[in-house]
Amino acid sequence: MKYNQASYKQSHNSYDRDEDSHQSLLFHPNDPGNAGCRGLEYDIWRHSDSSNGRSLGYFTVAHSTSSGPPFANYLGYLLSWHLADVNHDVVFVTVDIKSSGGSKESFPDEIDNYMREWFNAGLMYTPGMLSPDNSDFVAYVKANGWPEVDTLRGKFIFCLSGNSDWKTYYAQTNPLARLCFADKDFDDGKSVTVPTTGQQIIFSSNLYSDNFETWKKSITNLRAANLIARGYVLNSDGIWDKAKQAKLNAFATDKITGHSWAHVGSTPFVQL
């Protein structure tokens, strides 16, 4: 199964959950609704200084305030998960950009410098690894799809979300050298325009049951182009079931444990 053909559970606002990162990622075969996430999410804020992204507190994590622990703390949890099992399933990490002030032009190098300083860039599956010779990632995945899930073992896929200007600028600036992917927002109440060219190959939306028929068609169209669709705030069994019917890729939820319906199947990745 290729990665774009898989569905999987993600933790929404992972820093704000009762479960820590390791607990969220641990899969229980006899109780698949108990955690088993293959994706996490962190909201980041920028604090500019002369380090160009390398200082510990350059990026912090919080939902609605710029004060919070360093992003590096959470990256450390991911490294410890990796060290415990270097052959782990691929983990999708959404990095939601909350900052809006200051220059977007410096952001691409800053976030990449931070990842090199406080993570291990060698563990990241990057856009240039997907398509080494072609920066038109949309055209590439349409023709070839993503790698198989098993070939991504031991890797982390980081995807920038949030601030549209910053993530789009990041995706379009020296794209083959970047460490992270960048998603593109789509409105769950409007038919999505499937791109034929570009660098953003992951699409995200806050999904609502009332708009199901519309976003179901959008997801079908995205999937036909081998683009990945992520829906978030899937916090009830009703909308979770609708997302299954729509054959969504990434199910982001606040309901990590204690909800038997919150799983995609009997394994962490299920083929669509």
Side-chain angles (χ1 to χ4, degrees):
M1 138 177 75
K2 292 192 174 186
Y3 195 61
N4 57 281
Q5 298 170 332
S7 62
Y8 38 94
K9 180 179 177 179
Q10 296 187 347
S11 168
H12 178 246
N13 289 346
S14 304
Y15 56 91
D16 202 26
R17 306 271 64 83
D18 292 334
E19 304 81 9
D20 62 39
S21 300
H22 286 205
Q23 291 171 328
S24 296
L25 292 169
L26 185 62
F27 184 74
H28 302 268
N30 296 325
D31 185 12
N34 180 13
C37 297
R38 289 300 175 264
L40 303 171
E41 181 187 29
Y42 303 107
D43 295 349
I44 63 166
W45 298 80
R46 181 174 70 179
H47 305 269
S48 299
D49 60 32
S50 60
S51 72
N52 196 30
R54 295 179 177 85
S55 63
L56 177 65
Y58 207 96
F59 292 102
T60 57
V61 173
H63 183 67
S64 56
T65 174
S66 61
S67 61
F71 184 29
N73 290 16
Y74 299 95
L75 296 176
Y77 303 151
L78 299 181
L79 286 173
S80 65
W81 177 260
H82 175 78
L83 290 173
D85 177 13
V86 297
N87 197 41
H88 61 79
D89 286 335
V90 60
V91 177
F92 188 102
V93 184
T94 301
V95 181
D96 193 322
I97 307 163
K98 293 297 185 182
S99 296
S100 58
S103 170
K104 70 180 179 185
E105 284 76 14
S106 61
F107 175 72
D109 287 342
E110 291 168 340
I111 189 65
D112 282 1
N113 286 342
Y114 196 87
M115 297 304 299
R116 291 189 178 95
E117 184 75 20
W118 298 103
F119 194 60
N120 179 344
L123 301 179
M124 300 173 69
Y125 184 76
T126 67
M129 294 173 70
L130 173 72
S131 173
D133 304 315
N134 181 7
S135 62
D136 188 346
F137 304 137
V138 170
Y140 179 86
V141 296
K142 185 175 183 180
N144 302 285
W146 287 68
E148 292 181 1
V149 171
D150 280 346
T151 67
L152 294 170
R153 284 188 171 276
K155 294 292 188 180
F156 297 85
I157 295 173
F158 281 78
C159 180
L160 301 177
S161 192
N163 187 312
S164 181
D165 286 344
W166 289 24
K167 67 185 180 184
T168 302
Y169 183 79
Y170 177 95
Q172 295 174 351
T173 305
N174 200 9
L176 290 175
R178 291 295 158 213
L179 296 180
C180 306
F181 292 85
D183 71 17
K184 190 174 183 66
D185 300 321
F186 72 97
D187 187 331
D188 78 320
K190 298 179 181 179
S191 296
V192 71
T193 299
V194 179
T196 57
T197 185
Q199 288 73 44
Q200 289 163 285
I201 53 178
I202 299 162
F203 283 66
S204 293
S205 183
N206 188 347
L207 301 178
Y208 292 91
S209 292
D210 288 349
N211 297 326
F212 171 59
E213 293 301 331
T214 301
W215 54 261
K216 180 182 179 182
K217 292 177 182 177
S218 292
I219 290 168
T220 297
N221 293 336
L222 291 169
R223 192 173 64 251
N226 295 329
L227 302 169
I228 288 175
R230 172 179 176 266
Y232 53 93
V233 199
L234 304 181
N235 287 341
S236 72
D237 57 350
I239 194 166
W240 190 276
D241 184 62
K242 284 182 170 59
K244 280 188 173 182
Q245 293 177 49
K247 297 188 176 181
L248 183 71
N249 293 109
F251 292 61
T253 182
D254 299 315
K255 309 301 183 183
I256 308 306
T257 57
H259 297 83
S260 61
W261 49 263
H263 65 86
V264 296
S266 59
T267 54
F269 292 102
V270 171
Q271 186 152 6
L272 294 169

